[in-house]
Amino acid sequence: MSTSLPLHPAAAATLQCWHQMIAAGDLSRLPELLHPQAVFRSPMAFTPYESAAAVNLILNTVVRVFEDFAYHRELASTDGTDVVLEFSARVGDRQLKGIDMIRFDEAGLITDFEVMIRPMSGLQALGEEMGRRLAPQLAAMKGRPA
Amino acid sequence: MSTSLPLHPAAAATLQCWHQMIAAGDLSRLPELLHPQAVFRSPMAFTPYESAAAVNLILNTVVRVFEDFAYHRELASTDGTDVVLEFSARVGDRQLKGIDMIRFDEAGLITDFEVMIRPMSGLQALGEEMGRRLAPQLAAMKGRPA
């Protein structure tokens, strides 16, 4: 699907790599795709996590928490710099829907990765599991209030 | 912004009308834009609300709950049938971000309206306020589990 979106070629290449990594369950190439000041906007907390290291840690963790993960609709902005990827997943016995809203720079690097989740029960299940796995590391990485 | 999205003309006209209604704070024309079997997918509950009357009631209520509401990025699917509208708003002292993910049929009618909200604190504040205003009506309107 991603190749038909009206994205800048560099952004389309990054998105294609992202899909290949998700399909393989292996995000080892993710650091190459992240801008050094990449920001992660969590579905749980308002304050963003501001560093490529934090984005990499969070995304590597969440892909291990989600079960039955599948992408569905893809949408792009007309300027070719932003995509929304709709997904469904399960955390324990909680079904959830979500979106990844991703911004790319001119070199195709990911500068902003925002996630939203519904419903409340799915968001709570995800938050509890992410907290168990990541709370100490994320507290140390947390950026300034935005 | 909406006119530049690669939407079907009928969908683009509906989206333009939606933006005009939001800007005016008056959704009185909304019933004309909804498919009779339109579905609302809430950020709080997994089970959708399945009727134009429910979609109309919920959207008319939420626009009165949100303060400092503003739309930001707009994204579209390549088949011209779906949009994502990013927004920011406030409920009481809680800042939040969200998206409206809207699907249109060939006549431009809204068939599916899905909302996601972050962070957790904003979703909770919205849920409490919506519950206060709508719980009795929505319980009566709730569709079958999906």
Side-chain angles (χ1 to χ4, degrees):
Chain A
M1 295 190 292
S2 59
T3 51
S4 61
L5 286 173
L7 285 176
H8 289 171
T14 297
L15 182 59
Q16 185 175 20
C17 185
W18 171 256
H19 278 304
Q20 289 168 347
M21 291 192 301
I22 292 293
D26 175 5
L27 301 194
S28 57
R29 292 179 59 199
L30 180 58
E32 307 165 25
L33 306 181
L34 296 173
H35 188 281
Q37 274 81 54
V39 166
F40 184 81
R41 301 182 198 276
S42 157
M44 257 74 73
F46 195 84
T47 307
Y49 299 95
E50 297 179 328
S51 76
V55 180
N56 186 53
L57 174 64
I58 293 167
L59 291 175
N60 268 279
T61 306
V62 78
V63 297
R64 289 195 294 269
V65 170
F66 282 151
E67 300 175 89
D68 302 336
F69 183 89
Y71 275 127
H72 305 290
R73 285 175 280 183
E74 291 196 348
L75 304 92
S77 60
T78 51
D79 58 6
T81 61
D82 297 83
V83 295
V84 163
L85 312 178
E86 177 192 37
F87 62 84
S88 57
R90 182 170 58 78
V91 176
D93 60 355
R94 293 297 184 180
Q95 292 290 331
L96 58 84
K97 289 277 310 284
I99 56 123
D100 296 330
M101 182 176 270
I102 308 171
R103 174 164 284 175
F104 305 92
D105 71 4
E106 292 179 1
L109 295 177
I110 293 169
T111 58
D112 201 295
F113 200 113
E114 185 165 2
V115 178
M116 300 185 195
I117 299 284
R118 62 171 286 273
M120 177 82 88
S121 58
L123 177 59
Q124 286 170 331
L126 176 63
E128 287 168 12
E129 188 58 32
M130 293 293 285
R132 260 194 290 276
R133 300 188 186 209
L134 280 183
Q137 297 97 311
L138 288 182
M141 284 179 166
K142 204 155 189 172
R144 56 178 169 68
Chain B
M1 295 188 290
S2 58
T3 51
S4 61
L5 286 173
L7 285 176
H8 288 171
T14 298
L15 183 58
Q16 185 177 20
C17 185
W18 171 256
H19 278 303
Q20 289 168 348
M21 291 191 300
I22 292 292
D26 175 5
L27 300 194
S28 57
R29 291 180 58 199
L30 179 58
E32 307 166 25
L33 307 180
L34 296 173
H35 188 282
Q37 274 80 53
V39 167
F40 184 80
R41 300 181 199 277
S42 157
M44 257 74 73
F46 194 84
T47 306
Y49 299 95
E50 298 179 328
S51 75
V55 180
N56 186 55
L57 173 64
I58 293 166
L59 291 175
N60 268 280
T61 306
V62 77
V63 298
R64 290 194 294 269
V65 169
F66 282 152
E67 300 175 89
D68 303 336
F69 183 88
Y71 275 127
H72 305 289
R73 285 175 280 183
E74 290 196 348
L75 304 93
S77 60
T78 51
D79 58 6
T81 60
D82 296 83
V83 295
V84 163
L85 312 178
E86 177 193 36
F87 62 84
S88 57
R90 181 169 58 76
V91 176
D93 60 355
R94 293 298 184 179
Q95 292 290 330
L96 58 84
K97 289 278 309 283
I99 57 123
D100 296 330
M101 181 177 270
I102 308 170
R103 174 163 285 175
F104 306 92
D105 72 4
E106 292 178 1
L109 295 177
I110 294 170
T111 59
D112 201 294
F113 200 113
E114 186 165 2
V115 178
M116 300 186 195
I117 300 283
R118 61 170 286 272
M120 177 81 87
S121 59
L123 178 59
Q124 287 170 331
L126 176 63
E128 289 168 12
E129 189 57 33
M130 293 293 285
R132 259 194 292 276
R133 299 188 187 209
L134 279 185
Q137 296 97 311
L138 288 182
M141 283 181 167
K142 204 155 190 172
R144 56 177 168 71

